[in-house]
Amino acid sequence: MDKEIPDRPKARRERGKARLQLLMAATDELVSERELDEISLQHIAERARVPISSVYHFFPNREAAFFQLARKYLQDFERLSEATLNRQPDSWQSYISERVMASADYCNAKPGVMRLLLGPYFFELRRDNVAGIFSVANARVSALNHFFRMPEVDDLADKVATAIALVDGIQSLSYAMHGKVTTHYAEESARAAVLYLRSFLPDVIPVQGTDNGY
């Protein structure tokens, strides 16, 4: 009887995936504990308890590790948008405001998120994570369509992405001044997003399944 030949490429992929998750967890811990300039690939290797050569296999420099972690954080924001589909908001304005306040709470709860997405690497990471930002924007648009009978608006996801950029800029200013997203600046960023989107959306949009929106 022939012996079953193990799928070695698949096994290597699984090991590589597990190693990457280990490195991401180590980077996440370090970013939460230290300033970014105090972190090196050697620190990541030591925290993950793997040889430095294993780190270089995935990341040529620490910025590449930060970039990968920033992508994970943006995926978390996308999931935050998708996790609210079981509760009907009062209005599209309240939905946008609630999402902005929730993102501020998420940032304040995770120092690593603030250092990466609101700190000195803000513009570089946002530039390199455009696809992630648009994934968050598309998740917000999907939620709006789920809750409301949205009017036809050209490139609505682009406009929501612009609103997200406004929020990020205001919250980044708060982080630079206060080391966190204060309630005041969280509310200001929500107000900016809603006011911008009101340029394209009517004040009252009917709720799905109703004729008059009430």
Side-chain angles (χ1 to χ4, degrees), residues 189-202:
S189 63
R191 183 177 296 110
V194 168
L195 286 174
Y196 170 74
L197 290 174
R198 283 181 65 190
S199 301
F200 313 100
L201 297 175

Side-chain angles (χ1 to χ4, degrees), residues 134-148:
F134 272 90
S135 291
V136 175
N138 283 319
R140 300 269 171 91
V141 171
S142 295
L144 288 170
N145 285 319
H146 174 80
F147 291 125
F148 302 100

Side-chain angles (χ1 to χ4, degrees), residues 124-185:
E124 181 178 350
L125 287 168
R126 288 298 185 179
R127 181 195 65 210
D128 292 337
N129 274 296
V130 170
I133 294 169
F134 272 90
S135 291
V136 175
N138 283 319
R140 300 269 171 91
V141 171
S142 295
L144 288 170
N145 285 319
H146 174 80
F147 291 125
F148 302 100
R149 293 163 53 192
M150 297 295 291
E152 289 291 333
V153 176
D154 291 338
D155 302 319
L156 181 56
D158 289 1
K159 293 173 173 59
V160 172
T162 300
I164 291 172
L166 291 171
V167 169
D168 289 343
I170 294 170
Q171 295 189 0
S172 179
L173 176 64
S174 179
Y175 177 69
M177 293 192 299
H178 305 289
K180 65 179 181 178
V181 182
T182 66
T183 300
H184 169 73
Y185 279 99

